[in-house]
Amino acid sequence: MFDDKTDVATRRHIPFEGTPNFRDYGGYKTRDGRAIKWRQLFRSGELSKLTDNDQDQFGSLDIRIVFDFRRDDERLKDPSLLPESAMPEMVPLPINPGNAVDFVEIIAAGTMNSEQLAGFMCDVNKEFVFDQSEQYRKMFSCFLNLDEGGSLVHCAAGKDRTGFAAAMMLSALGVSRETIFADYMLTADYLSVDKEVARISQKYQWPGEPEVMRPMLEVRPDYLQSAFEIIDKEFPRVEDYLQEVLGMGEVERNWLQSRYLV
């Protein structure tokens, strides 16, 4: 068992040239004293800029299935670049952040200030719980058919849509809320907000001050907490949410735990 405090850089984060926030979200201890296997569960940002070296490394990880939470237009604009010799099953599960207001229109208009964008990001995470639950339910359904090999969950930056996916998987495996948030916040160690600001500014031709966008591109505990507050308000336990909304009852969670825990 590795100590996350000392081995996080060498064991958890996997350095890729073309996607900075690629990491293993296994290895964590569960509340009952077991641990998640390493090199089975991965998370990242988009995979459209992988180099030849990256593709070789990706192939060595034995990733059998990739869950892509990007919108359809994101996938078409920036298709994943993966090794043909080790091509995983690709499962598109498009999530459009911001059901109430079109995300792209918000960016293009450039009318929100930093505080409003932070609130918008909280609202986005709240929507994952029910409005986008069908996509996460499909993800879990696929997990139940994955008998061997690794999996990858990803979106554009690998923080919000991916963050909720990883949080629910860790919850199903019996990991503590504290550990789930620690994993969520690791994105801040690997993803440059400055580079993300420049990327989004160019991608959407942002007309306002680029710095205003920082809350949208940062990883903040308040964002994920907004989703858990909805779950905690509606259900006695997160396990009840997993069962009633995501189709992960006790039998299914036990199967996952037998598959991924040691």
Side-chain angles (χ1 to χ4, degrees):
M1 182 65 187
F2 284 72
D3 176 51
D4 273 329
K5 292 182 179 178
T6 58
D7 292 287
V8 61
T10 57
R11 186 65 169 175
R12 186 166 299 289
H13 180 242
I14 304 173
F16 278 74
E17 296 168 353
T19 185
N21 192 23
F22 197 110
R23 61 187 199 263
D24 188 326
Y25 68 103
Y28 292 118
K29 290 183 179 179
T30 62
R31 292 188 301 271
D32 64 5
R34 292 181 288 176
I36 304 174
K37 297 175 183 176
W38 287 101
R39 295 302 187 257
Q40 293 290 301
L41 301 172
F42 300 94
R43 54 178 295 175
S44 78
E46 67 180 21
L47 307 168
S48 62
K49 297 179 176 62
L50 296 191
T51 64
D52 290 343
N53 288 335
D54 289 340
Q55 291 189 53
D56 289 341
Q57 180 165 228
F58 186 97
S60 72
L61 295 174
D62 191 29
I63 293 173
R64 306 289 182 89
I65 190 167
V66 172
F67 301 101
D68 188 344
F69 296 106
R70 294 179 299 165
R71 303 186 312 272
D72 292 335
D73 64 295
E74 292 178 287
R75 291 200 320 276
L76 290 172
K77 182 176 176 59
D78 296 303
S80 295
L81 190 60
L82 298 176
E84 293 185 7
S85 60
M87 185 63 66
E89 178 185 357
M90 305 297 292
V91 181
L93 298 172
I95 290 177
N96 186 13
N99 270 357
V101 184
D102 188 85
F103 179 72
V104 177
E105 288 184 3
I106 286 176
I107 300 301
T111 55
M112 281 191 175
N113 60 34
S114 293
E115 183 177 350
Q116 290 171 320
L117 273 176
F120 173 73
M121 292 308 299
C122 288
D123 290 340
V124 164
N125 278 264
K126 291 176 183 178
E127 289 174 2
F128 297 153
V129 178
F130 290 116
D131 295 346
Q132 309 288 355
S133 62
E134 186 58 32
Q135 305 295 50
Y136 294 109
R137 188 183 181 99
K138 290 177 182 177
M139 176 194 77
F140 274 117
S141 178
C142 290
F143 266 119
L144 294 174
N145 291 308
L146 185 66
D147 293 325
E148 57 184 11
S151 64
L152 173 72
V153 291
H154 86 96
C155 54
K159 68 182 189 76
D160 294 299
R161 292 168 285 187
T162 295
F164 187 75
M168 292 302 100
M169 185 61 170
L170 292 174
S171 295
L173 292 174
V175 172
S176 72
R177 187 80 58 92
E178 179 182 7
T179 299
I180 289 170
F181 272 82
D183 177 77
Y184 176 76
M185 291 303 298
L186 279 179
T187 288
D189 292 347
Y190 305 120
L191 194 67
S192 168
V193 176
D194 292 336
K195 289 182 180 179
E196 284 298 296
V197 167
R199 181 180 71 85
I200 295 296
S201 295
Q202 181 179 22
K203 184 175 182 178
Y204 295 106
Q205 297 299 300
W206 173 264
E209 282 293 322
E211 284 301 301
V212 173
M213 279 195 294
R214 291 190 74 87
M216 184 180 69
L217 302 169
E218 291 173 338
V219 55
R220 298 184 181 184
D222 289 354
Y223 297 165
L224 183 59
Q225 180 60 31
S226 296
F228 272 110
E229 285 176 356
I230 298 295
I231 294 173
D232 293 341
K233 179 182 178 181
E234 297 294 331
F235 299 91
R237 307 174 306 154
V238 68
E239 288 82 2
D240 297 307
Y241 168 74
L242 288 167
Q243 176 171 328
E244 295 182 30
V245 180
L246 301 186
M248 295 303 295
E250 184 176 0
V251 171
E252 290 79 11
R253 295 197 307 276
N254 285 341
W255 187 92
L256 283 183
Q257 291 171 15
S258 68
R259 165 80 163 85
Y260 291 104
L261 300 185
V262 292

